[in-house]
Amino acid sequence: MKEFYAWVILFLFILLLILFKIDSATNYHNLVMQYQQNKEMYEKKTKELEKEIRILKADVYVLQYGYETGVEE
């Protein structure tokens, strides 16, 4: 009977290890997906900010030109 309990305990231990590995793989997958989403959001925001910077540089250029030539908008 002790041998039976030993096999049951061994089986449960192995099952627990398998479940832990599956859980770890799921957590890793979720972290990878979150990283990819954050990277995409960062790239999108960077493009938006670069566009705003170009617009602001153009505005500064127009204002400088107007100031230098005495022309007002």
Side-chain angles (χ1 to χ4, degrees):
M1 197 68 171
K2 289 181 182 181
E3 185 177 325
F4 174 73
Y5 289 129
W7 281 109
V8 169
I9 291 172
L10 181 63
F11 174 75
L12 292 176
F13 181 72
I14 291 172
L15 184 64
L16 183 66
L17 286 176
I18 291 171
L19 292 176
F20 178 73
K21 287 291 185 183
I22 291 172
D23 186 48
S24 296
T26 303
N27 287 341
Y28 177 75
H29 176 72
N30 290 341
L31 288 174
V32 169
M33 294 301 293
Q34 185 178 6
Y35 169 77
Q36 289 175 345
Q37 290 173 350
N38 288 344
K39 183 179 176 184
E40 290 171 3
M41 183 182 295
Y42 169 78
E43 290 171 354
K44 181 180 175 186
K45 292 288 183 182
T46 301
K47 287 181 183 179
E48 290 175 4
L49 290 174
E50 287 173 350
K51 183 179 177 182
E52 286 186 38
I53 288 171
R54 284 195 303 272
I55 292 169
L56 291 173
K57 284 182 178 180
D59 289 345
V60 167
Y61 176 76
V62 169
L63 290 173
Q64 284 178 340
Y65 178 78
Y67 177 75
E68 292 171 358
T69 60
V71 178
E72 294 187 21
E73 291 185 56

